[in-house]
Amino acid sequence: MHPDETFSISLRTWHPAMPVQELIEAVGLEPQIAHSVGARRLTPRGEPLDGFYRTSYCNFDLVEKAFGDFTEALAPLLSQLDGKQSIFRQIALTGGRTELYVGVFVEGDSGFTLATDDMRRMAELSLELSVEVYP
Protein backbone atom coordinates (compact mmCIF):
# COMPACT_ATOMS: atom_id res chain seq x y z
CA MET A 1 0.00 0.00 0.00
CA HIS A 2 1.04 3.58 -0.53
CA PRO A 3 1.41 6.03 2.37
CA ASP A 4 -1.08 8.47 0.81
CA GLU A 5 -3.85 5.88 0.96
CA THR A 6 -6.38 6.03 3.77
CA PHE A 7 -8.31 3.40 5.66
CA SER A 8 -11.00 3.00 8.29
CA ILE A 9 -11.66 0.05 10.58
CA SER A 10 -14.90 -0.93 12.30
CA LEU A 11 -15.87 -3.81 14.52
CA ARG A 12 -19.17 -5.30 13.35
CA THR A 13 -21.18 -8.00 15.07
CA TRP A 14 -24.38 -9.87 14.23
CA HIS A 15 -26.37 -12.28 16.36
CA PRO A 16 -29.64 -14.13 15.64
CA ALA A 17 -31.01 -13.92 19.21
CA MET A 18 -28.87 -11.82 21.58
CA PRO A 19 -30.44 -8.42 22.34
CA VAL A 20 -28.40 -5.49 21.03
CA GLN A 21 -27.99 -3.98 24.51
CA GLU A 22 -26.35 -7.20 25.68
CA LEU A 23 -23.93 -7.04 22.72
CA ILE A 24 -23.10 -3.40 23.47
CA GLU A 25 -22.48 -4.06 27.16
CA ALA A 26 -20.35 -7.13 26.42
CA VAL A 27 -18.19 -5.34 23.83
CA GLY A 28 -17.94 -2.24 26.02
CA LEU A 29 -17.83 0.29 23.18
CA GLU A 30 -20.30 2.89 21.94
CA PRO A 31 -21.90 1.76 18.65
CA GLN A 32 -22.48 4.10 15.72
CA ILE A 33 -25.22 1.78 14.44
CA ALA A 34 -27.22 -0.73 16.48
CA HIS A 35 -30.51 -2.61 16.23
CA SER A 36 -32.05 -5.65 17.89
CA VAL A 37 -33.45 -8.77 16.36
CA GLY A 38 -37.23 -8.42 16.00
CA ALA A 39 -37.22 -4.60 16.09
CA ARG A 40 -38.98 -2.72 13.32
CA ARG A 41 -36.61 -1.73 10.50
CA LEU A 42 -35.76 1.99 10.27
CA THR A 43 -33.98 4.27 7.82
CA PRO A 44 -30.79 6.00 9.07
CA ARG A 45 -33.03 9.01 9.83
CA GLY A 46 -35.32 6.88 12.00
CA GLU A 47 -38.25 6.58 9.59
CA PRO A 48 -40.05 3.20 9.63
CA LEU A 49 -39.51 0.66 6.87
CA ASP A 50 -41.38 -2.54 6.11
CA GLY A 51 -40.36 -5.58 8.11
CA PHE A 52 -38.30 -6.38 11.14
CA TYR A 53 -34.59 -6.99 11.72
CA ARG A 54 -33.66 -10.67 11.45
CA THR A 55 -30.53 -10.28 13.58
CA SER A 56 -29.12 -7.96 16.18
CA TYR A 57 -26.36 -5.81 14.72
CA CYS A 58 -23.77 -3.37 16.05
CA ASN A 59 -21.14 -1.31 14.27
CA PHE A 60 -18.35 0.18 16.37
CA ASP A 61 -15.92 2.59 14.66
CA LEU A 62 -12.36 1.81 15.78
CA VAL A 63 -10.38 3.91 13.27
CA GLU A 64 -12.43 6.56 11.48
CA LYS A 65 -9.80 7.65 8.95
CA ALA A 66 -6.06 7.14 8.94
CA PHE A 67 -3.30 7.46 6.38
CA GLY A 68 -1.02 4.58 5.46
CA ASP A 69 -1.25 0.81 5.54
CA PHE A 70 -4.11 -0.65 7.60
CA THR A 71 -2.06 -3.76 8.35
CA GLU A 72 0.19 -1.64 10.58
CA ALA A 73 -2.85 -0.70 12.69
CA LEU A 74 -3.98 -4.31 13.21
CA ALA A 75 -1.60 -5.38 15.98
CA PRO A 76 -2.43 -2.43 18.28
CA LEU A 77 -6.18 -2.89 17.64
CA LEU A 78 -6.00 -6.60 18.35
CA SER A 79 -4.19 -5.83 21.62
CA GLN A 80 -7.07 -3.53 22.61
CA LEU A 81 -9.56 -6.32 21.86
CA ASP A 82 -7.67 -9.10 23.71
CA GLY A 83 -9.90 -8.83 26.78
CA LYS A 84 -13.00 -9.43 24.64
CA GLN A 85 -12.01 -12.92 23.50
CA SER A 86 -14.68 -14.69 25.56
CA ILE A 87 -17.58 -12.55 24.27
CA PHE A 88 -16.49 -12.89 20.63
CA ARG A 89 -16.15 -16.65 21.08
CA GLN A 90 -19.59 -16.83 22.76
CA ILE A 91 -21.13 -14.84 19.89
CA ALA A 92 -19.61 -17.28 17.37
CA LEU A 93 -20.60 -20.40 19.33
CA THR A 94 -24.23 -19.27 19.56
CA GLY A 95 -24.74 -18.54 15.86
CA GLY A 96 -23.43 -14.99 15.51
CA ARG A 97 -20.30 -13.51 14.04
CA THR A 98 -17.92 -10.63 14.65
CA GLU A 99 -15.60 -9.06 12.13
CA LEU A 100 -13.11 -6.33 11.60
CA TYR A 101 -14.38 -4.39 8.60
CA VAL A 102 -11.67 -2.44 6.78
CA GLY A 103 -12.35 0.17 4.13
CA VAL A 104 -9.27 1.01 2.07
CA PHE A 105 -9.36 4.10 -0.14
CA VAL A 106 -6.78 3.99 -2.94
CA GLU A 107 -5.69 5.54 -6.18
CA GLY A 108 -4.34 3.02 -8.66
CA ASP A 109 -3.13 -0.48 -7.85
CA SER A 110 -2.74 -1.64 -4.29
CA GLY A 111 -2.39 -4.76 -2.19
CA PHE A 112 -1.59 -5.95 1.30
CA THR A 113 -0.18 -8.89 3.21
CA LEU A 114 -1.40 -9.97 6.63
CA ALA A 115 1.21 -11.09 9.12
CA THR A 116 0.77 -14.62 10.43
CA ASP A 117 0.75 -13.29 14.02
CA ASP A 118 -2.18 -10.98 13.18
CA MET A 119 -4.08 -13.82 11.49
CA ARG A 120 -3.48 -16.10 14.50
CA ARG A 121 -4.62 -13.41 16.94
CA MET A 122 -7.79 -12.74 14.91
CA ALA A 123 -8.56 -16.47 14.92
CA GLU A 124 -7.98 -16.65 18.69
CA LEU A 125 -10.40 -13.73 19.10
CA SER A 126 -12.96 -15.41 16.80
CA LEU A 127 -12.79 -12.39 14.48
CA GLU A 128 -13.37 -12.50 10.74
CA LEU A 129 -11.75 -9.97 8.42
CA SER A 130 -13.68 -8.11 5.72
CA VAL A 131 -11.79 -5.73 3.43
CA GLU A 132 -13.30 -3.46 0.80
CA VAL A 133 -11.08 -1.44 -1.50
CA TYR A 134 -12.53 1.78 -2.88
CA PRO A 135 -11.05 3.80 -5.77
Side-chain angles (χ1 to χ4, degrees):
M1 293 194 146
H2 305 287
D4 59 342
E5 295 174 353
T6 60
F7 66 90
S8 61
I9 303 175
S10 298
L11 180 74
R12 304 191 312 184
T13 188
W14 294 262
H15 199 277
M18 191 180 294
V20 75
Q21 194 57 40
E22 192 174 327
L23 286 171
I24 293 168
E25 289 172 12
V27 172
L29 299 170
E30 186 65 32
Q32 282 62 49
I33 301 170
H35 59 255
S36 274
V37 61
R40 183 160 188 90
R41 292 180 58 234
L42 301 172
T43 68
R45 293 184 181 147
E47 298 166 3
L49 294 168
D50 290 340
F52 300 88
Y53 292 111
R54 294 181 183 188
T55 63
S56 290
Y57 170 76
C58 291
N59 180 81
F60 307 93
D61 288 343
L62 301 177
V63 177
E64 287 194 43
K65 183 178 181 180
F67 288 92
D69 189 336
F70 84 88
T71 60
E72 293 175 10
L74 278 180
L77 274 178
L78 294 172
S79 292
Q80 291 175 10
L81 298 173
D82 274 342
K84 314 240 183 269
Q85 181 175 2
S86 62
I87 185 58
F88 297 151
R89 182 173 290 137
Q90 183 64 25
I91 289 167
L93 290 172
T94 57
R97 67 187 189 93
T98 305
E99 72 178 20
L100 288 177
Y101 171 78
V102 180
V104 179
F105 306 89
V106 301
E107 291 184 25
D109 295 340
S110 188
F112 61 89
T113 301
L114 292 178
T116 54
D117 283 345
D118 291 340
M119 290 189 289
R120 178 186 47 78
R121 289 177 70 198
M122 285 189 309
E124 289 170 353
L125 286 164
S126 300
L127 293 176
E128 299 175 8
L129 178 66
S130 175
V131 179
E132 288 199 41
V133 179
Y134 301 95

